[in-house]
Amino acid sequence: MPPDTNIFMARLDDILKVLRVLEQQRAEGPGWTWVRRLAKQAKLHHEVVRRIVDGYLSEAIEVADADALIGEGLRIKPMRLKDGVTARGHLRYLRAMGKLRD
């Protein structure tokens, strides 16, 4: 089986939902969020959101240093949208990098 058969291809509208929630959270304040909270607000399954964050948004988000949290047994990955990143701009970036199909 070729290795490309297991690549997760997210729907454009799902990526946009996640980006819009992140933009809204950034506008409301400098707080951090995590995958399950983001999934609940975007009305998507948490595994879909995790794959979108890891596969499509890794360049657009900041991740808090979670090593200390993991050392204490907490298994969340605090994250937020980087300053200056917009949904439209990041979608344009994903298309340019070949990560999205039209």
Side-chain angles (χ1 to χ4, degrees), residues 22 29 44 57 61 90:
L22 285 167
L44 296 169
L57 304 181
I61 60 168
H90 194 66

Side-chain angles (χ1 to χ4, degrees), residues 47-62:
E47 191 63 23
V48 171
V49 172
R50 184 192 62 78
R51 288 180 178 187
I52 288 171
V53 167
D54 290 344
Y56 295 92
L57 304 181
S58 58
E59 298 89 5
I61 60 168
E62 293 179 63

Side-chain angles (χ1 to χ4, degrees), residues 8 10 15 18-19 22 32 35 38 48-64 77-83 85-86 90-91 93-94 97 99-100:
F8 172 75
I15 296 171
V18 172
L19 280 168
L22 285 167
W32 296 87
V35 169
L38 190 54
V48 171
V49 172
R50 184 192 62 78
R51 288 180 178 187
I52 288 171
V53 167
D54 290 344
Y56 295 92
L57 304 181
S58 58
E59 298 89 5
I61 60 168
E62 293 179 63
V63 178
K77 181 168 134 180
M79 68 185 87
R80 65 181 172 199
L81 199 60
K82 289 181 180 177
D83 290 335
V85 174
T86 63
H90 194 66
L91 289 177
Y93 167 79
L94 290 173
M97 296 302 291
K99 291 187 175 186
L100 285 182

Side-chain angles (χ1 to χ4, degrees), residues 5-24:
T5 57
N6 289 331
I7 291 177
F8 172 75
M9 292 299 293
R11 293 185 355 204
L12 181 60
D13 58 332
D14 290 345
I15 296 171
L16 194 54
K17 281 181 192 177
V18 172
L19 280 168
R20 286 188 176 147
V21 170
L22 285 167
E23 280 183 325
Q24 179 184 6

